[in-house]
Each structure stands twice: as C-alpha cells, then as structure tokens.
Amino acid sequence: MTVKELCDSCSFDIINMADPDREVDGCYIGDLLSWVMGRAQEGNVWITIMSNVSVIAVAALSDVSCVILSEGVSLDDEVRKTAEQKGINVLSSKENTYMTALQISGKI
C-alpha cells in the first residue's frame, strides 16, 4: 500500500504529501524521539503527537514512509516548510493514537 492509498482509505488530512507513491510496510508508535530513531524501520508509518522540527529530522533519519500526527495535531508553517524541503510525507488524524493505529491495522 502507498502513502496516498493509506491516506485515502483512512481519510487522513494531508499536511505534506511529498512522495504519495512511497510504499508503507509497517507501523511504529512513539513520542520519544531518540527511541523512535533507534527503532522505527524504513518504510514504517510513524504515529506521534509531537509536532516540532525534530520530528521531521527523525523521520528523515529513520526513512519512515510518513508521519501521522494523531489527536488532530498539525504543524506550524515553519515545520511544514521543513517537511516540504526534506520530502517528508506528513498526515494528520483527528482520532487518538490508539484509534489511528486501529484505522491502519489490516491495511498494511
């Protein structure tokens, strides 16, 4: 499944869609950035409530397919611009983290 297909099937809001055809092959949930950096796998969806510029840096280092911000979290303009520059897919879900994970379970 691609990021675009996942977004469409779960009705996530698009914050930045740099690479809609990026394949998704797993999920990682976490808010402790150093923990995510060492454990998220390439191609994972990363679900978090963190929205600072460090999230974009960790997403790039971990090579996740996209970041999903749960709880209706969004990015400020400066962080969104950084996501654009680094080519990071960022989506948002109005649901809490648990419900967001349930939405994508069975799809990837």
Side-chain angles (χ1 to χ4, degrees):
M1 169 169 277
T2 67
V3 172
K4 174 84 169 96
E5 291 168 339
L6 180 67
C7 182
D8 291 345
S9 69
C10 295
S11 300
F12 295 137
D13 294 324
I14 297 170
I15 296 174
N16 188 58
M17 187 69 79
D19 186 2
D21 296 324
R22 178 80 192 266
E23 289 292 323
V24 174
D25 66 2
C27 178
Y28 192 82
I29 301 168
D31 297 320
L32 184 59
L33 299 179
S34 60
W35 198 265
V36 173
M37 233 178 355
R39 289 170 174 77
Q41 302 292 310
E42 178 182 339
N44 281 175
V45 168
W46 171 24
I47 303 173
T48 185
I49 59 167
M50 301 291 292
S51 62
N52 59 43
V53 72
S54 296
V55 168
I56 305 307
V58 169
L61 286 170
S62 302
D63 199 22
V64 294
S65 60
C66 70
V67 176
I68 300 176
L69 304 171
S70 59
E71 307 272 349
V73 171
S74 191
L75 298 178
D76 67 32
D77 286 338
E78 187 174 319
V79 177
R80 185 187 50 75
K81 286 178 188 173
T82 302
E84 288 175 7
Q85 292 168 350
K86 294 196 177 283
I88 304 297
N89 294 315
V90 183
L91 310 174
S92 182
S93 170
K94 293 173 182 57
E95 301 292 339
N96 65 36
T97 301
Y98 175 74
M99 293 305 294
T100 301
L102 283 180
Q103 281 183 287
I104 66 172
S105 71
K107 290 182 171 46
I108 55 175

PDB file of all heavy atoms in Angstrom, residues 80-99:
ATOM      1  N   ARG A  80       6.184  22.779   8.633  1.00  0.00           N
ATOM      2  CA  ARG A  80       5.619  22.243   7.389  1.00  0.00           C
ATOM      3  C   ARG A  80       6.557  22.527   6.214  1.00  0.00           C
ATOM      4  O   ARG A  80       6.788  21.659   5.364  1.00  0.00           O
ATOM      5  CB  ARG A  80       4.237  22.842   7.122  1.00  0.00           C
ATOM      6  CG  ARG A  80       3.543  22.233   5.902  1.00  0.00           C
ATOM      7  CD  ARG A  80       2.253  22.951   5.569  1.00  0.00           C
ATOM      8  NE  ARG A  80       2.393  24.398   5.490  1.00  0.00           N
ATOM      9  CZ  ARG A  80       2.969  25.070   4.484  1.00  0.00           C
ATOM     10  NH1 ARG A  80       3.476  24.409   3.465  1.00  0.00           N
ATOM     11  NH2 ARG A  80       3.034  26.381   4.496  1.00  0.00           N
ATOM     12  N   LYS A  81       7.130  23.708   6.185  1.00  0.00           N
ATOM     13  CA  LYS A  81       8.073  24.051   5.114  1.00  0.00           C
ATOM     14  C   LYS A  81       9.315  23.158   5.178  1.00  0.00           C
ATOM     15  O   LYS A  81       9.838  22.742   4.139  1.00  0.00           O
ATOM     16  CB  LYS A  81       8.472  25.520   5.202  1.00  0.00           C
ATOM     17  CG  LYS A  81       7.385  26.457   4.746  1.00  0.00           C
ATOM     18  CD  LYS A  81       7.797  27.901   4.899  1.00  0.00           C
ATOM     19  CE  LYS A  81       6.610  28.810   4.611  1.00  0.00           C
ATOM     20  NZ  LYS A  81       6.911  30.209   4.916  1.00  0.00           N
ATOM     21  N   THR A  82       9.760  22.837   6.374  1.00  0.00           N
ATOM     22  CA  THR A  82      10.903  21.929   6.525  1.00  0.00           C
ATOM     23  C   THR A  82      10.544  20.542   6.008  1.00  0.00           C
ATOM     24  O   THR A  82      11.351  19.893   5.339  1.00  0.00           O
ATOM     25  CB  THR A  82      11.353  21.864   8.000  1.00  0.00           C
ATOM     26  OG1 THR A  82      11.690  23.185   8.433  1.00  0.00           O
ATOM     27  CG2 THR A  82      12.543  20.949   8.180  1.00  0.00           C
ATOM     28  N   ALA A  83       9.323  20.082   6.296  1.00  0.00           N
ATOM     29  CA  ALA A  83       8.863  18.785   5.772  1.00  0.00           C
ATOM     30  C   ALA A  83       8.858  18.800   4.251  1.00  0.00           C
ATOM     31  O   ALA A  83       9.271  17.825   3.614  1.00  0.00           O
ATOM     32  CB  ALA A  83       7.473  18.460   6.320  1.00  0.00           C
ATOM     33  N   GLU A  84       8.406  19.884   3.667  1.00  0.00           N
ATOM     34  CA  GLU A  84       8.423  20.016   2.204  1.00  0.00           C
ATOM     35  C   GLU A  84       9.848  19.938   1.665  1.00  0.00           C
ATOM     36  O   GLU A  84      10.114  19.216   0.703  1.00  0.00           O
ATOM     37  CB  GLU A  84       7.792  21.343   1.780  1.00  0.00           C
ATOM     38  CG  GLU A  84       6.303  21.412   1.935  1.00  0.00           C
ATOM     39  CD  GLU A  84       5.746  22.799   1.614  1.00  0.00           C
ATOM     40  OE1 GLU A  84       6.519  23.685   1.136  1.00  0.00           O
ATOM     41  OE2 GLU A  84       4.543  23.008   1.834  1.00  0.00           O
ATOM     42  N   GLN A  85      10.752  20.691   2.288  1.00  0.00           N
ATOM     43  CA  GLN A  85      12.141  20.728   1.825  1.00  0.00           C
ATOM     44  C   GLN A  85      12.821  19.370   1.926  1.00  0.00           C
ATOM     45  O   GLN A  85      13.619  19.000   1.073  1.00  0.00           O
ATOM     46  CB  GLN A  85      12.937  21.756   2.631  1.00  0.00           C
ATOM     47  CG  GLN A  85      12.528  23.179   2.378  1.00  0.00           C
ATOM     48  CD  GLN A  85      13.120  24.147   3.390  1.00  0.00           C
ATOM     49  OE1 GLN A  85      13.689  23.742   4.398  1.00  0.00           O
ATOM     50  NE2 GLN A  85      12.954  25.435   3.128  1.00  0.00           N
ATOM     51  N   LYS A  86      12.499  18.618   2.971  1.00  0.00           N
ATOM     52  CA  LYS A  86      13.133  17.311   3.181  1.00  0.00           C
ATOM     53  C   LYS A  86      12.359  16.171   2.524  1.00  0.00           C
ATOM     54  O   LYS A  86      12.785  15.026   2.577  1.00  0.00           O
ATOM     55  CB  LYS A  86      13.293  17.048   4.676  1.00  0.00           C
ATOM     56  CG  LYS A  86      14.269  18.016   5.333  1.00  0.00           C
ATOM     57  CD  LYS A  86      14.707  17.520   6.668  1.00  0.00           C
ATOM     58  CE  LYS A  86      15.731  18.426   7.282  1.00  0.00           C
ATOM     59  NZ  LYS A  86      17.054  18.270   6.710  1.00  0.00           N
ATOM     60  N   GLY A  87      11.212  16.469   1.912  1.00  0.00           N
ATOM     61  CA  GLY A  87      10.434  15.449   1.212  1.00  0.00           C
ATOM     62  C   GLY A  87       9.760  14.447   2.146  1.00  0.00           C
ATOM     63  O   GLY A  87       9.649  13.269   1.805  1.00  0.00           O
ATOM     64  N   ILE A  88       9.299  14.914   3.292  1.00  0.00           N
ATOM     65  CA  ILE A  88       8.665  14.027   4.281  1.00  0.00           C
ATOM     66  C   ILE A  88       7.150  14.110   4.149  1.00  0.00           C
ATOM     67  O   ILE A  88       6.562  15.197   4.214  1.00  0.00           O
ATOM     68  CB  ILE A  88       9.081  14.411   5.720  1.00  0.00           C
ATOM     69  CG1 ILE A  88      10.603  14.400   5.862  1.00  0.00           C
ATOM     70  CG2 ILE A  88       8.403  13.506   6.742  1.00  0.00           C
ATOM     71  CD1 ILE A  88      11.250  13.051   5.644  1.00  0.00           C
ATOM     72  N   ASN A  89       6.499  12.960   3.979  1.00  0.00           N
ATOM     73  CA  ASN A  89       5.042  12.885   3.976  1.00  0.00           C
ATOM     74  C   ASN A  89       4.537  13.061   5.400  1.00  0.00           C
ATOM     75  O   ASN A  89       5.000  12.363   6.310  1.00  0.00           O
ATOM     76  CB  ASN A  89       4.564  11.524   3.468  1.00  0.00           C
ATOM     77  CG  ASN A  89       4.902  11.287   2.020  1.00  0.00           C
ATOM     78  OD1 ASN A  89       4.720  12.151   1.184  1.00  0.00           O
ATOM     79  ND2 ASN A  89       5.396  10.104   1.710  1.00  0.00           N
ATOM     80  N   VAL A  90       3.601  13.982   5.597  1.00  0.00           N
ATOM     81  CA  VAL A  90       3.017  14.205   6.922  1.00  0.00           C
ATOM     82  C   VAL A  90       1.505  14.258   6.775  1.00  0.00           C
ATOM     83  O   VAL A  90       0.965  15.036   5.978  1.00  0.00           O
ATOM     84  CB  VAL A  90       3.517  15.508   7.577  1.00  0.00           C
ATOM     85  CG1 VAL A  90       2.940  15.660   8.981  1.00  0.00           C
ATOM     86  CG2 VAL A  90       5.043  15.559   7.615  1.00  0.00           C
ATOM     87  N   LEU A  91       0.837  13.419   7.548  1.00  0.00           N
ATOM     88  CA  LEU A  91      -0.618  13.342   7.558  1.00  0.00           C
ATOM     89  C   LEU A  91      -1.107  13.644   8.963  1.00  0.00           C
ATOM     90  O   LEU A  91      -0.342  13.599   9.921  1.00  0.00           O
ATOM     91  CB  LEU A  91      -1.083  11.943   7.143  1.00  0.00           C
ATOM     92  CG  LEU A  91      -0.477  11.377   5.864  1.00  0.00           C
ATOM     93  CD1 LEU A  91      -0.918   9.937   5.661  1.00  0.00           C
ATOM     94  CD2 LEU A  91      -0.853  12.240   4.675  1.00  0.00           C
ATOM     95  N   SER A  92      -2.397  13.906   9.102  1.00  0.00           N
ATOM     96  CA  SER A  92      -2.969  14.150  10.419  1.00  0.00           C
ATOM     97  C   SER A  92      -4.276  13.377  10.567  1.00  0.00           C
ATOM     98  O   SER A  92      -5.046  13.254   9.609  1.00  0.00           O
ATOM     99  CB  SER A  92      -3.233  15.651  10.610  1.00  0.00           C
ATOM    100  OG  SER A  92      -3.755  15.913  11.896  1.00  0.00           O
ATOM    101  N   SER A  93      -4.481  12.862  11.758  1.00  0.00           N
ATOM    102  CA  SER A  93      -5.706  12.143  12.089  1.00  0.00           C
ATOM    103  C   SER A  93      -6.390  12.852  13.259  1.00  0.00           C
ATOM    104  O   SER A  93      -5.724  13.258  14.211  1.00  0.00           O
ATOM    105  CB  SER A  93      -5.373  10.700  12.500  1.00  0.00           C
ATOM    106  OG  SER A  93      -6.509  10.058  13.040  1.00  0.00           O
ATOM    107  N   LYS A  94      -7.683  12.983  13.175  1.00  0.00           N
ATOM    108  CA  LYS A  94      -8.438  13.587  14.275  1.00  0.00           C
ATOM    109  C   LYS A  94      -8.575  12.629  15.457  1.00  0.00           C
ATOM    110  O   LYS A  94      -8.857  13.034  16.578  1.00  0.00           O
ATOM    111  CB  LYS A  94      -9.806  14.026  13.778  1.00  0.00           C
ATOM    112  CG  LYS A  94      -9.746  15.177  12.784  1.00  0.00           C
ATOM    113  CD  LYS A  94     -11.094  15.478  12.180  1.00  0.00           C
ATOM    114  CE  LYS A  94     -11.038  16.573  11.159  1.00  0.00           C
ATOM    115  NZ  LYS A  94     -10.144  16.379  10.056  1.00  0.00           N
ATOM    116  N   GLU A  95      -8.360  11.347  15.190  1.00  0.00           N
ATOM    117  CA  GLU A  95      -8.511  10.311  16.214  1.00  0.00           C
ATOM    118  C   GLU A  95      -7.314  10.291  17.165  1.00  0.00           C
ATOM    119  O   GLU A  95      -6.235  10.777  16.824  1.00  0.00           O
ATOM    120  CB  GLU A  95      -8.644   8.941  15.552  1.00  0.00           C
ATOM    121  CG  GLU A  95      -9.805   8.804  14.600  1.00  0.00           C
ATOM    122  CD  GLU A  95     -11.164   8.844  15.281  1.00  0.00           C
ATOM    123  OE1 GLU A  95     -11.234   8.588  16.504  1.00  0.00           O
ATOM    124  OE2 GLU A  95     -12.149   9.134  14.592  1.00  0.00           O
ATOM    125  N   ASN A  96      -7.509   9.672  18.331  1.00  0.00           N
ATOM    126  CA  ASN A  96      -6.371   9.499  19.240  1.00  0.00           C
ATOM    127  C   ASN A  96      -5.430   8.444  18.648  1.00  0.00           C
ATOM    128  O   ASN A  96      -5.723   7.816  17.634  1.00  0.00           O
ATOM    129  CB  ASN A  96      -6.840   9.151  20.661  1.00  0.00           C
ATOM    130  CG  ASN A  96      -7.528   7.816  20.761  1.00  0.00           C
ATOM    131  OD1 ASN A  96      -7.183   6.845  20.087  1.00  0.00           O
ATOM    132  ND2 ASN A  96      -8.522   7.738  21.632  1.00  0.00           N
ATOM    133  N   THR A  97      -4.289   8.281  19.270  1.00  0.00           N
ATOM    134  CA  THR A  97      -3.258   7.402  18.717  1.00  0.00           C
ATOM    135  C   THR A  97      -3.750   5.965  18.585  1.00  0.00           C
ATOM    136  O   THR A  97      -3.495   5.306  17.562  1.00  0.00           O
ATOM    137  CB  THR A  97      -1.994   7.475  19.593  1.00  0.00           C
ATOM    138  OG1 THR A  97      -1.545   8.833  19.615  1.00  0.00           O
ATOM    139  CG2 THR A  97      -0.890   6.592  19.053  1.00  0.00           C
ATOM    140  N   TYR A  98      -4.453   5.469  19.583  1.00  0.00           N
ATOM    141  CA  TYR A  98      -4.968   4.097  19.533  1.00  0.00           C
ATOM    142  C   TYR A  98      -5.917   3.908  18.349  1.00  0.00           C
ATOM    143  O   TYR A  98      -5.782   2.961  17.571  1.00  0.00           O
ATOM    144  CB  TYR A  98      -5.673   3.759  20.849  1.00  0.00           C
ATOM    145  CG  TYR A  98      -6.328   2.413  20.852  1.00  0.00           C
ATOM    146  CD1 TYR A  98      -5.574   1.250  20.947  1.00  0.00           C
ATOM    147  CD2 TYR A  98      -7.711   2.292  20.741  1.00  0.00           C
ATOM    148  CE1 TYR A  98      -6.184  -0.005  20.940  1.00  0.00           C
ATOM    149  CE2 TYR A  98      -8.325   1.046  20.741  1.00  0.00           C
ATOM    150  CZ  TYR A  98      -7.553  -0.089  20.833  1.00  0.00           C
ATOM    151  OH  TYR A  98      -8.159  -1.327  20.832  1.00  0.00           O
ATOM    152  N   MET A  99      -6.864   4.820  18.210  1.00  0.00           N
ATOM    153  CA  MET A  99      -7.830   4.701  17.107  1.00  0.00           C
ATOM    154  C   MET A  99      -7.160   4.885  15.746  1.00  0.00           C
ATOM    155  O   MET A  99      -7.536   4.232  14.778  1.00  0.00           O
ATOM    156  CB  MET A  99      -8.972   5.719  17.283  1.00  0.00           C
ATOM    157  CG  MET A  99      -9.846   5.438  18.496  1.00  0.00           C
ATOM    158  SD  MET A  99     -10.560   3.763  18.521  1.00  0.00           S
ATOM    159  CE  MET A  99     -11.646   3.847  17.111  1.00  0.00           C
TER     160      MET A  99
END
